[in-house]
Amino acid sequence: MSTQVTEGEAETEPETESTHQERRMAEKRERADMRERAESDLDDTEETVKIKVFRYDPEVEGKKDPRFDTFRVPFTKGMTVLDALIYARDHFDSSLTFRHSCRQAICGSDALFINGSQRLGCKTQMSELEWPVRIEPLPHAEVVKDLVVDMEHFYDQMEAVEPYFQTNDLPAADEEQRQSRENREKVKMSTRCIWCSACMSSCNIAAGDNEYLGPAAINKAYRFAMDKREGEDMKEHRLNIIEQEHGVWRCQTQFSCTEVCPKDIPLTEHIQELKREAVKSNLKFW
Ligand code: FES
């Protein structure tokens, strides 16, 4: 098949491996210049903070080996780790990759490993940390690029516990399906999960057993198993799911998930309570 080139239209040569590399190198030099210019623009009297950011890009020659890049960013009162990353990306290196959305601890997309602990970038104040601040992707997950990890496995585990309300006992069409105040209190904390996967990343058991449901999924199961509106049969069904070989019994009560949860959910407590519920439901003479 021939390609017609109209007058005035330049035929673009396909990029070869070497031109691709040259373009990449030119982009890299441009970024280095940009960074130098931005750094020289910093006011010397201004307080600055250094962040050491994990970098990795499997698709670009020369960036396949993980490394840390250091950025010096101006420190401002109330600055969060996410603010610092955004500054570094916008002023020094536009290829710096990380996830974020709401910037108010709701969407759960910017869980990171900050100074050796799982935290939300948008909720973590720079002033609370030891400087320089080391920022890495969540451990125990495959890194896609820089600070972005593959969340697929985490979502699969969440999906496995059927994370939605189910009941056979529906009210009449014009009635609300009301929940008692006490029952709402019971499940309140479990509903706060924002699917950030900080707990999963902190869990040693999940790191060693890829099939372990993990604290977030078990907490989600708790949220519905304890909701009385679903009824006893559905509770039984939910307990069967979390009782499986890679379910609640894997938890060794290490509390790491509870410690890192940015929404203060008592995850370990919920897992223990589900263990007790599972035992009770299996003791048929009870
Ligand atoms: Fe949404 Fe941090 S950006 S939780």
PDB file of all heavy atoms in Angstrom, residues 3-6 8-14:
ATOM      1  N   THR A   3       1.704   5.335   0.446  1.00  0.00           N
ATOM      2  CA  THR A   3       1.212   6.456   1.237  1.00  0.00           C
ATOM      3  C   THR A   3       1.424   7.715   0.437  1.00  0.00           C
ATOM      4  O   THR A   3       2.532   8.013   0.027  1.00  0.00           O
ATOM      5  CB  THR A   3       2.002   6.558   2.555  1.00  0.00           C
ATOM      6  OG1 THR A   3       2.080   5.272   3.122  1.00  0.00           O
ATOM      7  CG2 THR A   3       1.329   7.502   3.516  1.00  0.00           C
ATOM      8  N   GLN A   4       0.371   8.424   0.170  1.00  0.00           N
ATOM      9  CA  GLN A   4       0.487   9.645  -0.607  1.00  0.00           C
ATOM     10  C   GLN A   4       0.888  10.804   0.295  1.00  0.00           C
ATOM     11  O   GLN A   4       0.325  11.021   1.356  1.00  0.00           O
ATOM     12  CB  GLN A   4      -0.861   9.952  -1.261  1.00  0.00           C
ATOM     13  CG  GLN A   4      -0.698  10.965  -2.369  1.00  0.00           C
ATOM     14  CD  GLN A   4      -2.050  11.315  -2.936  1.00  0.00           C
ATOM     15  OE1 GLN A   4      -3.046  10.702  -2.640  1.00  0.00           O
ATOM     16  NE2 GLN A   4      -2.066  12.338  -3.778  1.00  0.00           N
ATOM     17  N   VAL A   5       1.934  11.566  -0.164  1.00  0.00           N
ATOM     18  CA  VAL A   5       2.360  12.723   0.611  1.00  0.00           C
ATOM     19  C   VAL A   5       1.946  13.954  -0.158  1.00  0.00           C
ATOM     20  O   VAL A   5       2.374  14.176  -1.277  1.00  0.00           O
ATOM     21  CB  VAL A   5       3.893  12.721   0.822  1.00  0.00           C
ATOM     22  CG1 VAL A   5       4.324  13.949   1.595  1.00  0.00           C
ATOM     23  CG2 VAL A   5       4.326  11.448   1.500  1.00  0.00           C
ATOM     24  N   THR A   6       1.064  14.735   0.393  1.00  0.00           N
ATOM     25  CA  THR A   6       0.594  15.922  -0.325  1.00  0.00           C
ATOM     26  C   THR A   6       1.639  17.029  -0.248  1.00  0.00           C
ATOM     27  O   THR A   6       2.488  17.034   0.647  1.00  0.00           O
ATOM     28  CB  THR A   6      -0.729  16.432   0.265  1.00  0.00           C
ATOM     29  OG1 THR A   6      -0.546  16.627   1.642  1.00  0.00           O
ATOM     30  CG2 THR A   6      -1.865  15.491   0.001  1.00  0.00           C
ATOM     31  N   GLY A   8       3.679  20.163   0.526  1.00  0.00           N
ATOM     32  CA  GLY A   8       3.811  20.967   1.746  1.00  0.00           C
ATOM     33  C   GLY A   8       3.775  20.120   3.007  1.00  0.00           C
ATOM     34  O   GLY A   8       3.991  20.608   4.098  1.00  0.00           O
ATOM     35  N   GLU A   9       3.459  18.825   2.821  1.00  0.00           N
ATOM     36  CA  GLU A   9       3.384  17.964   4.010  1.00  0.00           C
ATOM     37  C   GLU A   9       4.669  17.151   4.099  1.00  0.00           C
ATOM     38  O   GLU A   9       5.037  16.439   3.174  1.00  0.00           O
ATOM     39  CB  GLU A   9       2.193  17.025   3.835  1.00  0.00           C
ATOM     40  CG  GLU A   9       1.824  16.273   5.087  1.00  0.00           C
ATOM     41  CD  GLU A   9       0.673  15.327   4.807  1.00  0.00           C
ATOM     42  OE1 GLU A   9      -0.359  15.822   4.306  1.00  0.00           O
ATOM     43  OE2 GLU A   9       0.808  14.127   5.037  1.00  0.00           O
ATOM     44  N   ALA A  10       5.406  17.291   5.187  1.00  0.00           N
ATOM     45  CA  ALA A  10       6.682  16.606   5.311  1.00  0.00           C
ATOM     46  C   ALA A  10       6.460  15.157   5.706  1.00  0.00           C
ATOM     47  O   ALA A  10       5.614  14.850   6.534  1.00  0.00           O
ATOM     48  CB  ALA A  10       7.530  17.303   6.371  1.00  0.00           C
ATOM     49  N   GLU A  11       7.220  14.275   5.047  1.00  0.00           N
ATOM     50  CA  GLU A  11       7.118  12.860   5.393  1.00  0.00           C
ATOM     51  C   GLU A  11       7.960  12.620   6.639  1.00  0.00           C
ATOM     52  O   GLU A  11       9.129  12.960   6.673  1.00  0.00           O
ATOM     53  CB  GLU A  11       7.645  12.034   4.231  1.00  0.00           C
ATOM     54  CG  GLU A  11       7.235  10.598   4.333  1.00  0.00           C
ATOM     55  CD  GLU A  11       7.680   9.810   3.128  1.00  0.00           C
ATOM     56  OE1 GLU A  11       8.392  10.386   2.277  1.00  0.00           O
ATOM     57  OE2 GLU A  11       7.327   8.629   3.055  1.00  0.00           O
ATOM     58  N   THR A  12       7.338  12.095   7.670  1.00  0.00           N
ATOM     59  CA  THR A  12       8.120  11.900   8.899  1.00  0.00           C
ATOM     60  C   THR A  12       8.798  10.538   8.898  1.00  0.00           C
ATOM     61  O   THR A  12       8.156   9.521   8.650  1.00  0.00           O
ATOM     62  CB  THR A  12       7.226  12.036  10.145  1.00  0.00           C
ATOM     63  OG1 THR A  12       6.037  11.298   9.902  1.00  0.00           O
ATOM     64  CG2 THR A  12       6.898  13.496  10.452  1.00  0.00           C
ATOM     65  N   GLU A  13      10.095  10.585   9.149  1.00  0.00           N
ATOM     66  CA  GLU A  13      10.880   9.357   9.210  1.00  0.00           C
ATOM     67  C   GLU A  13      10.508   8.591  10.472  1.00  0.00           C
ATOM     68  O   GLU A  13      10.339   9.199  11.525  1.00  0.00           O
ATOM     69  CB  GLU A  13      12.367   9.711   9.298  1.00  0.00           C
ATOM     70  CG  GLU A  13      12.956  10.357   8.055  1.00  0.00           C
ATOM     71  CD  GLU A  13      13.191   9.336   6.948  1.00  0.00           C
ATOM     72  OE1 GLU A  13      13.485   8.178   7.287  1.00  0.00           O
ATOM     73  OE2 GLU A  13      13.043   9.696   5.773  1.00  0.00           O
ATOM     74  N   PRO A  14      10.349   7.282  10.387  1.00  0.00           N
ATOM     75  CA  PRO A  14      10.099   6.538  11.627  1.00  0.00           C
ATOM     76  C   PRO A  14      11.312   6.651  12.558  1.00  0.00           C
ATOM     77  O   PRO A  14      12.453   6.686  12.090  1.00  0.00           O
ATOM     78  CB  PRO A  14       9.893   5.100  11.149  1.00  0.00           C
ATOM     79  CG  PRO A  14      10.424   5.049   9.763  1.00  0.00           C
ATOM     80  CD  PRO A  14      10.441   6.437   9.209  1.00  0.00           C
TER      81      PRO A  14
END
